[in-house]
Amino acid sequence: MTRRAGIGGRRLRIGIDTGGTFTDVVALDEDTGEIVTTKTRSTPADPAEGFEAGVRKALELLGASRTDVTALAHGTTVATNQLLEDRLEDLGFVTTEGFEFVLEIARQSVPDGYGNSYFWVKPPRIVPVHRVRTVGGRMDHTGTEIRPFDEASAVAAARWFREHGIRAIGVCFLHSYADPAHELRMREVLLREHPEAVVSLSCEVLREYREYERSVTTLVDAAVKPTMARYLRRIAGGRLRVMKSNGGVLSAEEVVRQPITTVLSGPAAGALGAAFVTRAAGRGSVITLDGGGTSTDVAVVLDCEPTLTTEGTIGRHPVKIPMIDIVTVGAGGGSVAWLSPEGTMKVGPRSAGADPGPRCYGQGGTEVTVTDAHAVLGRIPPHLLGGEIPLDVDAARDGVEALAAKLGMTAERAATGILEISAWNQANAIRQITVKRGLDVRDYPLVAFGGSGPLLACRLLDLLGLPAAVIPVNPGNLSAFGLLTVDVKNDYVRTRVERDAELDLDALGAVWSELQREAAVALEREGFPPSDHRFARSADLRYHGQAFEVRVPAPDGPCDDAFRAEVVRRFHDAHENLYGYCYRDDPGRHPVEWVNLRVSGIGPITRPVLRERPPGGDSEPAGVRRVFYDEWTEAPIYQRERLAPGTVVAGPAVIEEFGSTLPLHPGFQARVDGHGNLVVTR
């Protein structure tokens, strides 16, 4: 897509990722290729303040003004945090008459397996049953109308919501994925009878079967829509795009229409940034670990693309939208160390956040955190962000010593224990994203980034047997950098359940053409001419009798017998890779079934260029500091920006930079590659 210069004459693109503790900013001058990175403290009470402060800081560093900005890309946790904190009051639900208990029935699945089923209590529904209204009318699974839409009951439902002050409403009628006519009429009634209502329709949020998941996904969209609209109004200019969970971005105007697509906004940007950096370094498949102040997000990149899922959850809510497959664990720098009633030490998932933060921040924090443990052991400098945030190491030590006294151990052992527990929490998240999905964790290098991501990299290599860890340039800002590498992307889905042997290829092609037209309209709204449109087709298939599907990419071209055979071959291969078996040679007893058809509309952007760096430079340490690994030692301290390609640093040592730190344990070494990445090996 061709970019115009800003009003000020320059062409600047800015990526801004708002985390729980810091707001990360990366600015790119598209004409010179200059990249500037910086951070500001997040402002959880009003995230827009941290956003604006980050933009101002980046522009000051570049000597530029807001008129020079041609594009802003934003990764936000506003929707995610609202769901995690269950701030979903005043939400209403409209569904088909006779199905008012669809949320109460839910699914029979029990978290953590049946071993805990005796003690598990089903959590409260996203909408209590007294705020559910039903409307007469019925479609069957083919979209044929069985009973007509009952406008009288629709009007009664709308007036009931208006009288009770319920303004966020989700609508999910049975089989509306096949024909949305009744849902569209329900919206007309709601907007006529209750003009203040914010309405989400399942046919627009998730046009896919499975009523329970479709209902919850639609309600989550309705719940976050008012919050996201207010937030984006505060920060939006005409050039703002917001990161989506699926690995694409959308304009702020489009996001207000479908806010649920942003629920994993920040973590998705980090995984894409890691994929972009490692692709340039010649590594196609890696594990990504994004360590922040509140949590750590883990994903897998296969053949330069992060893996996707539609079986995600945010908090306790199943959200069935395309999203990068990410596992999140409460093991960030601000994770609090605490004692259980049994007297054992635990770390997280509760976090001290940005305010008051860890004890060493000197902002009134009283609880010991992972960052405090690093400070006590000398593994991070006595200041953050190049000196902008001085650390009160004495306050951290006092807290760790008090905790150690309760456990009857030294402060060093207690601090090391905090870090060990945090490392195991991260290792378990990595196992969940790899071993549980049939991948051998030992085959994949780890890309560690985020402010706290590199801090435990050496220990994770030991715990998991990983071949190497890659620390990108400016790891603390990689998520913000990833926002500058992301295409505009929108996903469309249609359920069409049909046996492969009975497949109507003409009807299949017609559905894909309709989805592609919808995607093209959205891309045109985003400003992309038809010549720039790209489309990616995929299909969800399964063996007849299975409950869940496997998604495979579908080739371009006409929907003929060769096309059908190729998609089915890909399904057999994918099923065998995932589960270790397939039935390609037994189609009679195990016929293949097509379930969902999908199209992604993609509008490509101009990406930054990662240039190789020349060898040579100062590889001497900038000083020494007492650091505790297995014992106290005078460890050399290196400034990363002074390390040139080819330099090898042997542990014990510490490599510091503006947004992050790498403690290099004894027995490990870090080599600087041609792009400036640190490659850590035993």
Side-chain angles (χ1 to χ4, degrees):
M1 184 178 183
T2 302
R3 292 281 185 189
R4 302 187 306 272
I7 298 172
R10 299 174 69 178
R11 297 195 306 160
L12 304 180
R13 286 169 52 208
I14 299 178
I16 308 166
D17 177 47
T18 300
T21 306
F22 289 106
T23 295
D24 305 332
V25 187
V26 174
L28 168 70
D29 188 319
E30 291 194 88
D31 296 314
T32 66
E34 180 185 5
I35 295 176
V36 167
T37 63
T38 189
K39 286 175 176 274
T40 61
R41 279 184 174 170
S42 293
T43 51
D46 184 1
E49 289 184 12
F51 177 95
E52 291 296 337
V55 173
R56 287 194 302 269
K57 193 172 180 181
L59 293 175
E60 288 170 5
L61 291 171
L62 283 165
S65 68
R66 194 71 177 252
T67 57
D68 293 311
V69 178
T70 60
L72 281 164
H74 183 32
T76 174
T77 57
V78 168
T80 312
N81 291 344
Q82 184 180 357
L83 296 176
L84 291 176
E85 296 168 19
D86 261 344
R87 292 183 280 111
L88 306 176
E89 62 274 6
D90 297 331
L91 187 61
F93 182 39
V94 183
T95 191
T96 301
E97 186 177 51
F99 287 83
E100 61 267 36
F101 297 109
V102 64
L103 300 178
E104 301 296 321
I105 297 169
R107 294 292 183 207
Q108 70 175 27
S109 57
V110 176
D112 302 321
Y114 286 94
N116 294 325
S117 60
Y118 290 112
F119 309 102
W120 181 68
V121 177
K122 187 180 288 188
R125 301 297 89 191
I126 186 171
V127 177
V129 71
H130 70 273
R131 289 210 297 264
V132 177
R133 303 288 101 179
T134 64
V135 171
R138 181 77 177 267
M139 299 282 186
D140 71 7
H141 70 283
T142 68
T144 301
E145 186 178 75
I146 298 174
R147 291 197 300 273
F149 179 75
D150 181 2
E151 183 148 344
S153 60
V155 169
R159 291 176 178 174
W160 187 89
F161 288 126
R162 184 188 65 201
E163 291 164 3
H164 288 79
I166 297 172
R167 291 194 290 263
I169 301 168
V171 179
C172 182
F173 289 152
L174 203 66
H175 303 306
S176 59
Y177 58 85
D179 187 334
H182 288 185
E183 285 193 358
L184 295 173
R185 289 187 63 187
M186 185 68 221
R187 176 164 60 190
E188 292 174 2
V189 171
L190 281 166
L191 296 183
R192 184 181 71 233
E193 301 290 335
H194 189 7
E196 294 182 357
V198 174
V199 181
S200 291
L201 305 182
S202 77
C203 64
E204 295 177 345
V205 174
L206 183 69
R207 197 162 170 181
E208 185 177 333
Y209 84 154
R210 293 198 172 101
E211 257 59 42
Y212 172 64
E213 287 81 0
R214 186 156 55 91
S215 297
V216 174
T217 304
T218 302
L219 288 164
V220 168
D221 186 78
V224 301
K225 193 172 280 186
T227 306
M228 282 296 292
R230 286 193 299 269
Y231 174 65
L232 292 175
R233 275 197 300 269
R234 290 204 58 190
I235 66 173
R239 307 177 183 92
L240 178 67
R241 284 194 168 131
V242 180
M243 184 74 206
K244 297 173 62 182
S245 309
N246 69 349
V249 290
L250 269 188
S251 66
E253 293 82 1
E254 287 292 315
V255 165
V256 169
R257 298 182 189 180
Q258 42 183 306
I260 191 173
T261 60
T262 70
V263 292
L264 283 179
S265 181
L272 286 158
F276 183 80
V277 168
T278 53
R279 182 189 303 119
R283 299 174 185 269
S285 298
V286 296
I287 298 165
T288 72
L289 184 142
D290 182 358
T294 305
S295 62
T296 294
D297 304 305
V298 179
V300 174
V301 173
L302 298 177
D303 297 325
C304 301
E305 294 292 338
T307 55
L308 294 173
T309 183
T310 56
E311 304 299 329
T313 59
I314 304 297
R316 60 183 176 87
H317 308 296
V319 178
K320 197 172 171 59
I321 59 170
M323 60 177 68
I324 291 178
D325 195 1
I326 292 170
V327 171
T328 299
V329 60
S335 296
V336 173
W338 52 283
L339 297 182
S340 71
E342 297 78 23
T344 58
M345 185 163 65
K346 298 182 181 295
V347 178
R350 190 165 53 84
S351 173
D355 184 15
R359 290 177 64 98
C360 60
Y361 279 16
Q363 295 187 139
T366 59
E367 297 178 296
V368 175
T369 67
V370 171
T371 298
D372 292 315
H374 281 295
V376 167
L377 299 178
R379 298 188 189 179
I380 58 176
H383 52 74
L384 299 179
L385 306 187
E388 291 184 25
I389 301 179
L391 298 184
D392 188 344
V393 179
D394 290 337
R397 186 176 295 109
D398 290 344
V400 171
E401 287 177 347
L403 185 65
K406 295 177 182 177
L407 293 166
M409 60 178 64
T410 65
E412 289 83 1
R413 188 179 175 201
T416 303
I418 292 170
L419 302 186
E420 185 72 359
I421 295 169
S422 185
W424 275 98
N425 288 340
Q426 293 183 4
N428 288 336
I430 292 172
R431 289 192 182 98
Q432 188 176 342
I433 204 79
T434 53
V435 177
K436 289 183 71 173
R437 287 158 172 76
L439 303 174
D440 190 336
V441 67
R442 297 167 297 183
D443 293 339
Y444 301 93
L446 176 73
V447 183
F449 57 96
S452 67
L455 290 172
L456 296 171
C458 290
R459 188 67 186 118
L460 290 172
L461 293 189
D462 272 341
L463 292 177
L464 296 169
L466 301 166
V470 179
I471 316 299
V473 176
N474 296 313
N477 290 69
L478 189 68
S479 291
F481 175 80
L483 291 164
L484 302 179
T485 72
V486 179
D487 294 326
V488 170
K489 185 178 180 184
N490 235 333
D491 297 306
Y492 299 87
V493 60
R494 192 71 46 82
T495 292
R496 185 180 178 86
V497 181
E498 200 168 357
R499 295 275 188 98
D500 180 62
E502 303 162 1
L503 198 61
D504 184 337
L505 291 172
D506 292 335
L508 197 75
V511 171
W512 255 316
S513 295
E514 183 182 344
L515 294 174
Q516 188 163 314
R517 283 194 296 272
E518 291 181 30
V521 169
L523 289 174
E524 288 172 8
R525 283 200 303 262
E526 291 286 306
F528 290 90
S531 58
D532 286 348
H533 294 185
R534 286 170 38 214
F535 303 100
R537 297 192 293 190
S538 60
D540 299 347
L541 284 77
R542 66 188 178 194
Y543 295 116
H544 179 65
Q546 288 184 327
F548 292 95
E549 304 80 44
V550 175
R551 184 179 309 169
V552 294
D556 295 328
C559 293
D560 53 19
D561 284 329
F563 170 89
R564 181 200 61 77
E566 175 60 19
V567 173
V568 171
R569 184 192 66 79
R570 294 181 182 186
F571 163 69
H572 289 310
D573 290 345
H575 196 282
E576 189 167 20
N577 288 335
L578 279 170
Y579 304 113
Y581 72 95
C582 71
Y583 296 117
R584 90 175 68 239
D585 298 324
D586 192 7
R589 293 178 57 197
H590 300 282
V592 172
E593 201 167 50
W594 294 61
V595 179
N596 297 312
L597 308 180
R598 302 178 185 273
V599 167
S600 294
I602 301 166
I605 55 96
T606 302
R607 290 175 170 78
V609 176
L610 296 179
R611 299 182 177 91
E612 291 202 25
R613 300 185 176 189
D618 182 5
S619 60
E620 294 298 315
V624 296
R625 183 170 68 239
R626 290 185 76 237
V627 180
F628 188 91
Y629 290 114
D630 298 319
E631 59 184 6
W632 286 106
T633 183
E634 294 291 325
I637 308 299
Y638 293 86
Q639 296 302 314
R640 180 169 181 179
E641 61 271 16
R642 293 164 61 179
L643 300 178
T647 302
V648 176
V649 175
V654 179
I655 301 176
E656 299 176 356
E657 56 187 304
F658 175 78
S660 191
T661 301
L662 171 64
L664 201 59
H665 292 219
F668 288 82
Q669 68 174 23
R671 178 181 57 81
V672 185
D673 72 8
H675 288 91
N677 303 306
L678 296 173
V679 182
V680 181
T681 53
R682 290 179 189 78

